Amino acid sequence: MIEHFNPLEGKFLQVLDKGGHVYKILEPKLSTNDLKKIYETMVLTRMADDKALKLQRSGRMGTFAQVLGQEAQVAVGLAMKKEDWFFPSFRELGILLVRGSPLEKFYLTFMGCEEGNRTPKDINNFPVCVPVGSQTVHAVGAAMAAKIKRDKVVTVVAFGDGGTSEGDFHEAMNFAGVFKAPCVFFCQNNQWAISTPRSIQTAAKTIAQKAIAYGFQGIQIDGNDPLAIYVATKEAVEHARQGKGPTLIESLTYRIGPHTTADDPTLYRTEKEVKYWQERDPIKRFKIYLQKKGLWTKKYEDNLIKKCTKQIEDAVAKAEKIAAATKPEDMFRYMYEKMTPVLQEQLEYLHESLGEKEA
Amino acid sequence: MPTLNIVEAINLALHQEMARDKRVIVLGEDVGHEGGVFRVTTGLQKKFGEKRVMDTPLAESGIVGTSFGMAVYGLRPVAEIQFDGFVYPAFDQIISHVARIRNRSRGRFTCPLVIRAPFCGGIRALEHHSESMEALYAHIPGMKVVIPATPYDAKGLLISAIRDPDPVIFFEPKRLYRAIKEDVPEKEYTIPIGKAKIVQEGNDITLIAWGAMVRECQRAAEQMQNKASCEIIDLRTMSPMDTETIVTSVQKTGHCVIVHEAPRSGGLGGEIIARINEKAILNLKAPIERVTGFDTTFPYYQNENNYLPNSSRIIQAIDKVMMF
Ligand SMILES: Cc1ncc(C[n+]2csc(CCOP(=O)(O)OP(=O)(O)O)c2C)c(N)n1
Ligand SMILES: [Mg+2]
């Protein structure tokens, strides 16, 4: 399918349009469970995000980047296998959740606690990556390692439109092409990098077409359409697993909220533009799709919201408890496998200066 | 005379230098239309246009590398890197080209470039937004490293940096951006790079700091005023360092505490001690103490206050030195 969507010919993949109509020939055969999982994780992501915003506004959490509007991303996680590896940037709560990262980890990271980055052992989700674009090379390296070890494992890396300007992105693409790494580049082109529009990131018409210059396939898709994301990612992941090399997916979406809680988007974009994209909301269209399939009812929604509310409350309570138990030694414990004598001395000094005995 | 904070003082300096010299241009991520994430460059694009105030692609190596090209060609770029933790993609350009070109071209090409970046912790920021790695840059032969601690100094030092014939990295203590206001003359003035400032005179002990730590020293000194008369030096320039002001003060007081937020090992505190040892070891009445960050990654904000040196740790160090 991907080869029929040459970005240089202006091709663009959409499976579910904004009104919830599906293009039958492209429709993936997803089980009821999977369809519900997409919807439920999108709703959870939006609600968790909204809770985080409230926590941030009331001083219980620090700065963070909202997903709002980009929830269709959860379909990436569904297209991957459990043993695959995911390398996020910082706006991928949905993918992390659908791949099993505990929700309290998200809150913990943005409550200023490194414990948020401690992914459970059996989940191959890398921690949030703040230096823009730098994670792309890591995903390629991990994919190269999987290939060397003959594991049938694929890596997926997420990054923004801004991320495609960093040198690391280009080096990652080049390595991936040269070594035919089993890696999928998932670009969330939400059209803004803080106040900088996409047009300032690249003079190219699409981001997807950059893949062609590196010798592999690229596709531009509707990033507010969970089915398009699923179809494209699934094919790219299996393509990589079969040893056919990398794919770049440009997922065209829009960040409805501010860049982070520290940002004021009214300085650089119009209400009209935001409204245009709100009408293309991923959750809204997927709800219609499920409803048509007889999978969505008012009762289902009410139960879902109740379930998510409880899950979020529990996660926040757990996170706040762990964050409150942060200790000075947490800074020192993980610097090396074994604490060096100098660090030991510094830690003792810190305890002393705080008037504490070392625990 | 207007009362300005550091953001406003730097903004004023940029406005005045751009008006005065057509070669001065500003570039970086979000510096144009939005005026920067801390609004330091607010109003510049409106006033001087998109050709002289450029929003760039998100690429620090690109920003510094092209600034280098502009500088050697004859412009005077002021490049903004959005945060201290994101200078690293440009590190190769800084260490391999910016700092070297005068020497390696035997003076044929020079790089009058200013790289501005907010630096240091204390604002409960995300990871990579609280770095104090001034020693990395001060260690590079050919670079000048400047860190103002007040609005007045920020304006005068930035003007000097822009007019300097050599590359300057200008770290702005983001924690103080809007924390202090003071009178800042409307008219242009310069403060020499390479000259420390005696913030407060005293006879018993010399406290040396820069950036946000100057204020912590002032707090400590105030609390100690009945016990010890503290002389506080704001180093202001990390490289080239003002050895003379340091040595003269220590010769007078015989005691010294150095305070920096940066990790302890390899921090500039060690360099300062070495210079004191070389020039004034026999004047010392007690070993010099350092109050510093730790040899750890800068922690997420739950532990930020445990990491950052503060007045109570400085007081403990003063006590230790004075009671030696
Ligand atoms: C190397 C680097 N430079 C600058 C920043 C500051 N910064 C954080 S997010 C961001 C914009 C990112 O835009 P994009 O890649 O499109 O992702 P989005 O935020 O839109 O999801 C910037 C400039 C950073 N985190 N890392
Ligand atoms: Mg973006």
Side-chain angles (χ1 to χ4, degrees), chain A residues 59 61-63 110-114 117 130-132 162 165-166 193-196 200-201 263 267-268 323 326-328 331-332 335 342-343 346 349-350 353-354, chain B residues 29-30 33-34 37 39 55-60 82 86 89 124 126-129 264-265 291 293-303 306-307 312-313 316:
Chain A
M61 214 181 84
T63 310
F110 298 102
M111 282 175 184
C113 188
E114 287 87 348
N117 294 343
V130 172
V132 165
S165 292
E166 288 284 0
I194 311 187
S195 74
T196 308
I200 289 180
Q201 301 302 343
D263 178 44
L267 287 175
Y268 53 83
T326 303
K327 292 193 192 66
M331 282 190 275
F332 294 80
M335 290 308 300
V342 168
L343 282 174
Q346 292 183 4
Y349 156 81
L350 176 56
S353 77
L354 292 168
Chain B
E29 293 155 16
D30 307 293
H33 183 82
E34 182 185 61
V37 292
R39 310 291 181 255
D55 279 319
T56 66
L58 207 176
E60 292 74 13
Q82 206 161 72
F86 308 130
R124 288 163 52 107
L126 287 169
E127 198 177 2
H128 309 285
H129 290 68
R264 189 175 185 84
S265 299
V291 182
F294 301 107
D295 294 352
T296 68
T297 306
F298 194 94
Y300 287 17
Y301 75 73
Q302 291 291 344
N303 250 329
N306 287 329
Y307 180 93
S312 94
R313 274 168 62 192
Q316 289 165 14

Side-chain angles (χ1 to χ4, degrees), chain A residues 70 91 160-163 188-194 196 255 259:
Chain A
Q70 302 181 214
R91 211 184 291 284
D161 43 314
Q188 293 207 68
N189 173 8
N190 63 8
Q191 307 179 57
W192 291 94
I194 311 187
T196 308
R255 143 165 85 64
H259 167 68

Side-chain angles (χ1 to χ4, degrees), chain B residues 234-264:
Chain B
D234 174 357
L235 200 55
R236 297 199 297 199
T237 304
M238 309 300 108
S239 174
M241 197 183 276
D242 181 359
T243 313
E244 196 189 326
T245 299
I246 296 168
V247 167
T248 307
S249 176
V250 172
Q251 280 170 339
K252 174 173 69 175
T253 62
H255 299 97
C256 182
V257 169
I258 301 160
V259 185
H260 60 67
E261 230 180 280
R264 189 175 185 84

Side-chain angles (χ1 to χ4, degrees), chain B residues 162-237:
Chain B
I162 293 171
R163 297 181 189 177
D164 200 281
D166 286 304
V168 178
I169 198 156
F170 193 86
F171 282 128
E172 299 161 6
K174 62 174 90 77
R175 181 182 176 184
L176 300 183
Y177 261 154
R178 294 172 194 278
I180 337 169
K181 274 193 166 229
E182 66 180 357
D183 289 344
V184 176
E186 181 71 39
K187 70 167 186 23
E188 292 164 35
Y189 60 93
T190 57
I191 293 172
I193 290 174
K195 196 87 197 79
K197 172 166 81 175
I198 297 180
V199 175
Q200 165 182 324
E201 287 189 25
N203 297 315
D204 300 333
I205 184 164
T206 304
L207 308 181
I208 302 170
W210 49 94
M213 289 300 111
V214 174
R215 198 173 57 160
E216 295 307 311
C217 287
Q218 286 171 299
R219 285 177 179 150
E222 201 182 306
Q223 288 176 58
M224 292 297 277
Q225 60 185 327
N226 298 327
K227 281 165 92 182
S229 151
C230 300
E231 177 141 304
I232 302 174
I233 296 177
D234 174 357
L235 200 55
R236 297 199 297 199
T237 304

